[in-house]
Amino acid sequence: MAAIGNRGTVTEAAGFNPDADVQALRGAMKGTGTDEAAVIQVLAPRTIAQRQRIKEAYKQSVGKDLADDLSSELSGNFSSVVLGLLMLAPVYDAYELENAMKGAGTEEAGLIDILASRSNEEMKTINEFYKKEHDKSLEDAVCGDTSGMFQRVLVSLLTAGRDESDKVDEAQAVLDAKEIYEAGEARWGTDEVKFLTVLCVRNRNHLLRVFEEYQKISGRDIEDSIKREMSGCLEDIFLAIVKCLRNKPAFFAERLYKSMKGMGTTDTVLIRIMVARAEIDMLDIKAQFLKMYGKTLHSFIKGDTSGDYRKILLELCGGE
């Protein structure tokens, strides 16, 4: 029941006893009101695998679904975090993707954050869970909710076909850099398909080499060119792909920073990243956050949230 990654703040709880956890949760929900502190104490420091055991034990001893019971007891952002923690990682991703497309309008940030950062294997599992849950493919859902070149990039990412080897073809890297340059900076208008073909298909090591070559040819960083050549969601998704390839924890650190900086908080982004990365790479995200912004992620969350919502996020964040 180990964590799904090895750089998380949430690790396998020692002396784990699902039955004792179930008793604690039942106690927390007894009578009027809920003991939120007890819910945090049980669920936040357990791995996803351990939480699945708790869900099974709860159903066995109560004959009800733990998520349903908690959902009727809790509300707001705190509830969103708790319910997210109870899901398997690909189930949570599929759920967040569905939420991003639900109702009028689309939360493009949700689609971008997930689709630009997941591995092929993760992507395939997300596709499977989505289809099981919604009786339609994630691709159909995305196509029904987005359009144009942005849609094409998302569909390409959904195919989970990126080369994941680590070999670099030097000649091809030079050619790729040249093609992107000629598709963007070197012409009037932009041939976005060229960007898609290179950025969504090639492997990470190869692309890091392409970005070096691109700098030589164009005298600009690839991110600057994307900002100059594109706009809106298309710019956002291409930037996210490049940033994730270069340094995924730094990408998430920046997303967290932007979700809290200035007036108001984009809770959807904050919750999604804290829940999804807690047992994968939260330690690295925290280190990058401190390096990039000179403040701890812990202090940012503390200053930007309140109540039980703040408490559970700080638990997932781990100490300063």
Side-chain angles (χ1 to χ4, degrees):
M1 285 182 292
I4 43 182
N6 55 7
R7 298 290 303 150
T9 42
V10 173
T11 52
E12 200 172 354
F16 173 59
N17 179 344
D19 297 323
D21 285 347
V22 167
Q23 288 314 314
L25 288 170
R26 288 181 69 180
M29 291 187 272
K30 257 211 187 88
T32 50
T34 312
D35 179 358
E36 282 90 355
V39 174
I40 296 171
Q41 207 180 343
V42 171
L43 296 178
R46 307 283 184 270
T47 59
I48 295 170
Q50 288 177 322
R51 294 186 205 117
Q52 303 314 302
R53 287 281 305 278
I54 295 170
K55 277 160 66 177
E56 285 162 21
Y58 188 88
K59 194 169 267 185
Q60 271 172 350
S61 65
V62 186
K64 287 168 82 181
D65 186 81
L66 176 59
D68 290 348
D69 279 0
L70 284 168
S71 175
S72 64
E73 293 274 335
L74 310 173
S75 62
N77 291 325
F78 178 64
S79 176
S80 301
V81 176
V82 170
L83 296 177
L85 291 176
L86 290 174
M87 296 178 203
L88 289 168
V91 175
Y92 183 61
D93 282 344
Y95 170 81
E96 283 293 295
L97 288 166
E98 174 62 15
N99 272 353
M101 295 183 282
K102 248 204 331 242
T106 307
E107 189 222 341
E108 285 87 6
L111 300 179
I112 293 168
D113 281 358
I114 295 171
L115 300 186
S117 65
R118 302 306 192 251
S119 68
N120 287 351
E121 196 184 334
E122 287 169 326
M123 211 50 255
K124 283 176 183 147
T125 321
I126 293 164
N127 275 315
E128 280 165 27
F129 276 108
Y130 188 92
K131 187 153 192 158
K132 207 160 92 184
E133 188 64 35
H134 301 286
D135 285 334
K136 65 173 174 184
S137 72
L138 185 47
E139 185 184 322
D140 286 347
V142 165
C143 287
D145 221 66
T146 57
S147 61
M149 205 60 210
F150 177 56
Q151 179 194 91
R152 289 172 65 175
V153 177
L154 295 177
V155 168
S156 171
L157 294 171
L158 281 173
T159 61
R162 181 185 296 283
D163 168 20
E164 284 186 341
S165 72
D166 49 14
K167 62 174 193 293
V168 177
D169 179 336
E170 284 296 334
Q172 186 63 48
V174 174
L175 193 64
D176 284 343
K178 202 160 148 263
E179 292 216 319
I180 292 182
Y181 176 64
E182 283 165 4
E185 291 284 1
R187 56 174 278 176
W188 183 252
T190 309
D191 176 5
E192 291 110 346
V193 183
K194 279 281 190 294
F195 279 81
L196 186 159
T197 306
V198 175
L199 292 178
C200 297
V201 178
R202 308 277 190 263
N203 73 58
R204 176 172 183 264
N205 283 358
H206 180 87
L207 282 167
L208 295 178
R209 190 72 197 85
V210 171
F211 301 156
E212 284 171 17
E213 278 303 319
Y214 185 86
Q215 177 84 43
K216 281 188 210 162
I217 297 168
S218 68
R220 283 185 208 287
D221 184 77
I222 183 76
E223 289 181 34
D224 292 335
S225 284
I226 289 170
K227 286 177 193 158
R228 284 162 54 92
E229 294 295 315
M230 326 247 175
S231 62
C233 302
L234 191 60
E235 175 189 341
D236 294 341
I237 186 100
F238 278 135
L239 280 177
I241 291 168
V242 171
K243 286 173 179 177
C244 283
L245 288 162
R246 283 179 157 165
N247 184 337
K248 202 177 284 184
F251 167 74
F252 286 122
E254 184 189 0
R255 298 288 296 128
L256 285 167
Y257 176 75
K258 287 185 170 164
S259 78
M260 293 182 278
K261 161 183 118 342
M263 289 297 289
T265 308
T266 316
D267 294 295
T268 47
V269 175
L270 176 56
I271 293 169
R272 182 166 51 240
I273 296 173
M274 295 307 293
V275 169
R277 309 311 293 185
E279 63 182 77
I280 299 178
D281 53 4
M282 189 55 70
L283 293 171
D284 300 325
I285 293 170
K286 283 165 69 174
Q288 286 294 334
F289 194 96
L290 183 59
K291 191 172 146 191
M292 290 159 73
Y293 304 110
K295 291 214 172 79
T296 63
L297 176 59
H298 191 282
S299 68
F300 246 71
I301 293 171
K302 197 173 174 181
D304 223 67
T305 56
S306 62
D308 296 308
Y309 174 45
R310 174 203 275 164
K311 283 180 198 150
I312 198 163
L313 288 181
L314 290 178
E315 192 67 44
L316 296 174
C317 173
E320 288 276 5

